[in-house]
Amino acid sequence: MADKIAKLSIDNKELDLPIYSGTLGPDVVDINQLAKENVLTFDPGYMSTASCESQITFIDGDAGILLYRGYPIDQLAEKCNYLEVCYLLLNGELPNPEQKKQFEHTITYHTMVHAQLSNFLNGFRRDAHPMAIMVGVVGALSAFYHDSLDINNPKDRETSAYRLISKMPTIAAMCHKYSIGQPYMYPQNHMNYSENFMHMMFATPAERYEPNPTLVRAMDRILILHADHEQNASTSTVRMAGSTGANPFACISAGIGALWGPAHGGANEAALNMLLEIGDESRINEYIKKAKDKNDPFRLMGFGHRVYKNYDPRAKIMRETCHEVLKVVEGHDNPVFKLAMKLEKIALEDDYFIEKKLYPNVDFYSGITLSALGIPTNMFTVIFALARTIGWISHWNEMIGDPNRRLCRPRQLYTGPTQRDVPHLEKRN
Ligand code: SDX
């Protein structure tokens, strides 16, 4: 229902555009009727577009607030584990003790993947980037699990969601093991979600892996912090693909592809590489200068955000988690962490970064943390994808369950040639 009306005047014709208010956040102007008037809106990068209605995640970018289903991210990171957060995102409420037990049991008992999937992995080159393998393997899941692909059946959607949440750690670890030439490790049903993931990453058939509880908790927190982030580029990609009626595995694979870019999920890998390249505090100013130079493509990785014009609340928690992990694995003196804190301080005092409201985002400290956990750099974005799967599937499910769902099909401002005739070959320049 419209709360207010915006008036738009085009060629002396007055249009009444309804304005809707959500429970939080900016009002939105409903421009649906414009196409009938043969007028479109123009918004490259969707800077001013609310692409859908959603009840899952809210961000206040100016205040640095992030809520999953109304709960602040810092409280969730402190009081819940990742699977509780998955349940919350998927179902709208936190689980009670019985629901939690049941959900953990269901996810645990879906963690194995079809044995033939290893044949599929064998087709990849050993030196393939794990993200390249993951895009392919997740897309291929629809070939292995086609008994749950009726997207109009809520039970099938639920089964696909469970399969995705539970199999992603197994697949992520398989991508890693494949690229380093070690045998795959089977999931262990007595372990919790993050513990099991670390076991599949680091154990070998020849040697047990005893996960350190602080490190397991850090991994779990990393997953919570990356679990959802409203209509970011990869989630919007999943929704776009899903609007065609494509199966959930294909849609999530599309999301993984979108996440890979360095402007999005690939930034964690890029941020650590950048810190390693800077190498020493004495070179920070040189890199800050490069980041500010319009003619230089270099940008400070892990800095800036489309929505946050304040400190990303996830970055704060990530910095604390990073510190906790470093204390366990190597004492207080990690040079990259010290360099990152120094770089953050210098950037936050620099006029360019102040004016443009560029603050550290979640990816600034996640790379150092993952690295301290023993995760190789090329797996960082894979872990982001593993964590974000619950967000993607929750948004996909919300969209498919909406009776007013429409095919997503944007239009354009066409500036190409007007109609012309095809000349004969010999008359073409
Ligand atoms: C994620 O959307 C999400 O929610 C994503 C995410 C999620 O959880 O899903 O939060 C995860 O993707 C985090 C972002 C990771 N990316 C990086 O850390 C890469 C470095 N940052 C950027 O390139 C950039 O800040 C973006 C891509 C994140 C945001 O880009 P926008 O919103 O399109 O902003 P912009 O590029 O137009 O920047 C505005 C200005 C520009 O200068 P002017 O043209 O106005 O002079 O700020 C400058 C930019 O050049 N700028 C930077 C900068 N980021 C922006 N300058 C130097 N270093 C930077 N990092």
Side-chain angles (χ1 to χ4, degrees):
M1 279 304 105
D3 303 314
K4 293 179 257 175
I5 296 289
K7 296 228 175 264
L8 182 68
S9 167
I10 305 170
D11 292 340
N12 295 328
K13 186 170 177 188
E14 284 262 310
L15 294 174
D16 283 348
L17 304 177
I19 300 180
Y20 308 130
S21 300
T23 45
L24 292 168
D27 290 348
V28 301
V29 182
D30 181 345
I31 48 134
N32 216 273
Q33 57 177 298
L34 290 187
K36 285 189 220 113
E37 304 293 333
N38 208 23
V39 176
L40 302 174
T41 53
F42 184 57
D43 185 22
Y46 307 134
M47 304 284 289
S48 299
T49 295
S51 61
C52 62
E53 182 183 334
S54 182
Q55 302 183 351
I56 302 175
T57 290
F58 173 76
I59 303 170
D60 182 332
D62 292 325
I65 289 171
L66 168 61
L67 312 175
Y68 292 168
R69 301 279 192 186
Y71 294 114
I73 189 67
D74 53 326
Q75 290 187 28
L76 291 168
E78 193 198 324
K79 296 181 180 167
C80 299
N81 68 25
Y82 177 66
L83 280 190
E84 287 173 86
V85 170
C86 288
Y87 187 98
L88 170 71
L89 288 168
L90 200 57
N91 300 300
E93 294 298 337
L94 283 165
N96 64 29
E98 186 49 40
Q99 289 163 332
K100 176 170 151 50
K101 207 168 132 203
Q102 184 58 48
F103 186 65
E104 283 174 352
H105 182 271
T106 305
I107 297 304
T108 302
Y109 281 83
H110 275 96
T111 47
M112 282 209 300
V113 293
H114 197 291
Q116 268 187 302
L117 205 72
S118 53
N119 298 342
F120 188 77
L121 263 110
N122 284 338
F124 287 95
R125 284 172 54 133
R126 284 278 169 205
D127 58 357
H129 194 289
M131 277 299 276
I133 303 179
M134 193 170 226
V135 176
V137 171
V138 173
L141 289 180
S142 50
F144 289 88
Y145 302 102
H146 37 72
D147 60 336
S148 62
L149 296 184
D150 178 359
I151 61 161
N152 296 314
N153 178 344
K155 193 75 205 147
D156 272 19
R157 295 208 299 272
E158 186 183 69
T159 304
S160 291
Y162 291 160
R163 282 179 167 154
L164 276 157
I165 300 163
S166 43
K167 294 183 200 309
M168 283 301 266
T170 315
I171 293 168
M174 285 173 89
C175 293
H176 169 59
K177 290 292 192 188
Y178 182 79
S179 66
I180 59 167
Q182 285 187 2
Y184 306 130
M185 295 302 294
Y186 283 111
Q188 294 294 312
N189 287 355
H190 69 277
M191 291 183 169
N192 71 34
Y193 193 85
S194 294
E195 196 180 7
N196 183 41
F197 173 56
M198 290 177 80
H199 155 81
M200 290 188 289
M201 283 289 294
F202 299 125
T204 69
E207 198 157 325
R208 279 160 61 96
Y209 172 74
E210 298 292 348
N212 175 305
T214 307
L215 304 190
V216 171
R217 181 69 192 131
M219 175 58 76
D220 206 63
R221 197 164 280 167
I222 289 171
L223 300 184
I224 292 173
L225 297 181
H226 288 86
D228 192 39
H229 216 231
E230 54 118 295
Q231 311 309 324
N232 60 83
S234 54
T235 301
S236 298
T237 302
V238 170
R239 280 185 177 261
M240 174 77 93
S243 79
T244 70
N247 74 68
F249 302 108
C251 297
I252 302 300
S253 173
I256 296 171
L259 185 76
W260 196 356
H264 192 13
N268 51 15
E269 186 175 342
L272 184 65
N273 287 337
M274 175 193 75
L275 290 167
L276 296 174
E277 190 186 310
I278 297 174
D280 188 81
E281 287 184 17
S282 62
R283 298 184 67 201
I284 290 178
N285 285 331
E286 180 193 328
Y287 279 82
I288 293 269
K289 206 168 149 204
K290 269 163 76 65
K292 297 193 300 193
D293 181 355
K294 272 213 166 298
N295 299 317
D296 190 324
F298 175 78
R299 290 288 170 271
L300 222 49
M301 289 292 128
F303 255 77
H305 197 274
R306 171 60 62 83
V307 186
Y308 292 119
K309 303 301 166 200
N310 198 330
Y311 213 99
D312 178 342
R314 302 168 299 174
K316 273 192 198 129
I317 306 167
M318 190 60 78
R319 192 174 57 183
E320 282 162 25
T321 305
C322 186
H323 194 55
E324 281 165 28
V325 168
L326 290 171
K327 269 198 276 185
V328 171
V329 297
E330 49 187 300
H332 295 268
D333 270 344
N334 180 286
V336 187
F337 186 58
K338 278 170 71 179
L339 180 70
M341 291 208 300
K342 184 80 184 175
L343 175 61
E344 178 192 329
K345 188 168 181 301
I346 293 178
L348 292 181
E349 287 168 0
D350 188 290
D351 284 347
Y352 173 94
F353 290 86
I354 294 170
E355 269 162 33
K356 294 189 189 301
K357 300 188 176 164
L358 300 169
Y359 290 82
N361 61 51
V362 67
D363 289 318
F364 192 64
Y365 287 103
S366 66
I368 312 171
T369 317
L370 286 166
S371 175
L373 288 172
I375 306 283
T377 318
N378 64 4
M379 281 295 291
F380 292 178
T381 313
V382 170
I383 290 175
F384 194 156
L386 147 59
R388 183 54 58 85
T389 295
I390 183 58
W392 291 330
I393 201 76
S394 302
H395 282 271
W396 175 82
N397 201 35
E398 181 179 67
M399 180 188 69
I400 302 292
D402 180 351
N404 299 320
R405 160 166 70 101
R406 303 289 302 267
L407 171 75
C408 296
R409 179 31 175 112
R411 299 295 303 279
Q412 62 179 2
L413 168 65
Y414 178 72
T415 54
T418 54
Q419 185 167 334
R420 49 189 174 159
D421 293 326
V422 178
H424 287 295
L425 182 58
E426 59 278 10
K427 292 198 174 152
R428 294 179 212 162
N429 298 320

